[in-house]
Amino acid sequence: MEHVPPPAEELALLDRELARLDARRSQLLVRRAWLLSVLTPPAGPPAGPPAPQFAAPFGPPSTARPAAPFAAVPGSPAAQAGPRSAQNVLLTLGGLLLTIAAIAFTLVSWGHMGIAGRSAVLAVVTLAALAAPAVLLRRGLSATAESLGALASVLMILDAYALHRVAVPDADGPGFAAAASAVLAVLWAGYGLLLDRLRLPLPLAVVSAQLPLLLWAWSAGAGASVFGWALLLTAALDCAIAVRGPGLAVRVTACVGGWTTGLLGLAVALAQSVSADAVPDALAPAALLLAGAVIALFGAWRAPRGLAVAGGVLAGLSGVAAVGGALRAGMEWDWSVPVYLLCGAVLLASVRAPLPRPVGQGLVWASSAVTAAAVLASAPPVGMSLMGTVSQLARVWSGAPDGGVRAALGTEGPAWSQLTAAPLVLLVVAGLLGLAHRSWDRPAGAAGPVVLPGPAWRSAAGTVATVLCWAGLVTLPAVLGLSYATAVAAQSVLVAAVFAVAVRGLRRGAGAPGTAALVCGLIGAVSTGLLSLAAQAATYAVFAVLLLVFGAVAVLLDDTATPTRESPQARVARAAGTLRIAQSVSACGAVLCAMVLARAAGASLGLAGYRAAPLMLAVTLVTVPLGARLRNRLSALPVELTGAMAAAVAVVMAVPDRPFLALVLALSGVLAAGTAVRAERRPVAGYLAVALFVLATWVRLSASGVSDPEAYTLPVTVPALVVGVLRRRRDPEASSWTAYGAGLTVTLVPSLFAAWLDPHWLRPLLLGAAALVITLAGARLRLQALLLVGGAVLGLDAVHELAPYVVQVVGALPRWLPPAVAGLLLLVVGATYEQRLRDARRLKQSLGRMR
């Protein structure tokens, strides 16, 4: 047993342990202060001798304890700014002020001195600013030298401006600026190499080197091609500096400048290549793009990994744009996409070239980007083919359109004439990916040194190939301008084929491609179903085919139909539930198709909406025994729920006519009672059947114009309550809702509705008295159904009786009083919130203990 000391002894132990901890903290603080004094010499007089060390930090407490052991140590770096930080701030402010003064002198005070004086002042100040850093660097004042070097750089720019205004005022502005920027770049480069400890001149020289060629092209009034060459030559110079330049700052500056000028130059060349109408017009932009590709490849060869991959991407895209632009010149844009796609596919051969691995990866990504762009450019007709079928909802059974499938999709012929190459692009990409997926070892072995593709890449290739093949085939009827009947037949066959691929893939364990085919089949089924709504015969044919297809898919994906000897991938797919989910979705799809056929049958027979509701219930009549047949399958519950949805649709259809609504509710109750025969469905279906029967009775009474429903409901309530009493005697554990719920609601609820519509006082009085008796009986016998049903009816009856008086009182009260009372009530409830919460919990527990 663990020994627990007396409180006095335990308090003494805690005091001794705290004293030891204070002693150890004091020792560590003293040691820290000494280390700080060694690392950062103090600016003031030396401090006194350090406090003595503690010999035994965890021994008996020392008598010499510090006055404030948890106080901050004075002189820490966080308490004062470093000397170099203050120096840099002062030097930066001083340099800025001198620069502002020089600019003001040059631009504002120019007219107060003669030409010789102004030139002499600027020249003397510039030479002094250029010479001072050399002296300062020899004396170790590097920060001051940097500030004066920056000032000298600004003064050199002002000297160039002064030279233009004084010596050559008639010279062309852009031309003089080009020459001045070139000269300044050379001077700054020489100055930075001479004083290599200064960090600003060399990056400034790189920045200045970006301007000469562009300003020269501007001054010469050159065209876009000359500007493109100027940008690319500047990018080539930047690339060379980034590879061979001295210092990290110079290389980073050159890299930024190279990417900026290179991308601008390639953008100019690409715009010219795309707009070229003939092959000779496309040759000059192609040469420019190829030059950009060479520059990007040269820079990527020696760049770090990330920049090397980016350079490879840029080189690959530039090469594809150059060759593709020359080949597609003069073509329509829709047929230009396959040309670029072909060039992008040829670019994949670069994986066998002797290139650094990052560069090869960049070229592969460039080829992938071209392929993705081609697919995106071919995507609009897919959306038009799928979404255009929604327009048939506004003209159901209006007849087959004269303009073929294009008219059924709501689009004109000229819109499709510019998309003729889209199916070809999609099918070609799908074919290439499908070949790669089927014989994965060859492309994986070829690209292994570059990208090292794994099994996930193979699955992705198969998935994308499936989707693109389906998308390409979906667009073919509209692109080819087929007739409406031919297009509907082709789309139906395509849906069946896609589902066959899905079943084959899922049964073999190809999870991602099989799932993709299943999703494509579902989308295609919806689109084909909407397309078939234009003609009556097409609607019956398509939805009958879809019903058979969905049913066949559900049967073929059944667990018992799956082979026992399966691959590991199939076992993984089974563990994830892919087969079961696909089976459930297919079974629900079959039920939905049956619902459409039932509604179409009602419309063909010329029945009004409410008269066709029993035909919709026929679907539920089929799903009830089918759910019992599929009892041990996961698809049983989805099928039954979809059948229940058909019954709900039938109820909604019958709402306009109350006699038919009562009939539909009664038939639905019969179907629910049939479902309740099964033990696993009884808890839900049993209550649902009772509710439907009771509701059917109420609706029938209302439809018959009965003003005294008690004459019809009491003969049902009394036997129902007697049966409930006998049930409780035989089974005391039976719920009160099962025994008395139906019998009570059959009479109380219709009577409550009648009381709310009755202007006299007798019915509400009798109903309130009966509800009060039932409520008291439920409280006395601890029966939940009697207590809740009787209390609810009693409360609603009281509200009906008190409502006119409440309205009169509220109308007589001042308008500010109701908000005030509501606010006061909220305050009281908020103040006693915890007590109200406990009361609510106790009430819930009390109700839960009732039967």
Side-chain angles (χ1 to χ4, degrees), residues 539-594:
T539 301
Y540 281 108
V542 168
F543 280 97
V545 170
L546 292 178
L547 175 62
L548 295 176
V549 169
F550 279 120
V553 171
V555 172
L556 293 175
L557 292 179
D558 191 3
D559 291 342
T560 59
T562 305
T564 56
R565 308 177 83 184
E566 55 187 3
S567 62
Q569 293 86 353
R571 287 194 293 271
V572 172
R574 183 182 303 282
T578 306
L579 287 175
R580 297 179 179 180
I581 294 175
Q583 182 190 12
S584 301
V585 171
S586 303
C588 294
V591 177
L592 291 175
C593 291

Side-chain angles (χ1 to χ4, degrees), residues 762-837:
L762 182 58
R763 184 191 301 274
L765 178 61
L766 295 176
L767 178 63
L772 178 61
V773 171
I774 294 172
T775 304
L776 294 176
R780 176 66 179 85
L781 301 175
R782 304 184 62 81
L783 296 177
Q784 190 180 100
L786 274 69
L787 179 63
L788 293 182
V789 174
V793 173
L794 180 61
L796 292 175
D797 186 66
V799 169
H800 173 263
E801 292 303 305
L802 294 177
Y805 303 101
V806 172
V807 171
Q808 293 178 5
V809 171
V810 170
L813 291 176
R815 295 194 175 184
W816 57 267
L817 188 59
V821 173
L824 182 61
L825 178 62
L826 290 176
L827 288 177
V828 173
V829 173
T832 60
Y833 175 76
E834 295 295 335
Q835 182 63 34
R836 302 287 79 76
L837 190 61

Side-chain angles (χ1 to χ4, degrees), residues 215-271:
L215 293 175
W216 170 79
W218 182 16
S219 65
S225 298
V226 178
F227 268 100
W229 280 107
L231 289 168
L232 283 184
L233 290 176
T234 305
L237 177 62
D238 291 330
C239 186
I241 296 174
V243 172
R244 300 291 184 184
L248 180 62
V250 174
R251 295 188 179 186
V252 170
T253 306
C255 184
V256 173
W259 277 98
T260 303
T261 55
L263 290 176
L264 290 175
L266 291 176
V268 172
L270 181 62

Side-chain angles (χ1 to χ4, degrees), residues 266-276:
L266 291 176
V268 172
L270 181 62
Q272 288 186 318
S273 176
V274 171
S275 60

Side-chain angles (χ1 to χ4, degrees), residues 733-770:
E733 297 297 326
S735 172
S736 61
W737 290 101
T738 305
Y740 309 117
L744 292 174
T745 54
V746 164
T747 296
L748 291 180
V749 175
S751 298
L752 180 63
F753 279 102
W756 271 66
L757 300 176
D758 194 344
H760 304 289
W761 58 272
L762 182 58
R763 184 191 301 274
L765 178 61
L766 295 176
L767 178 63

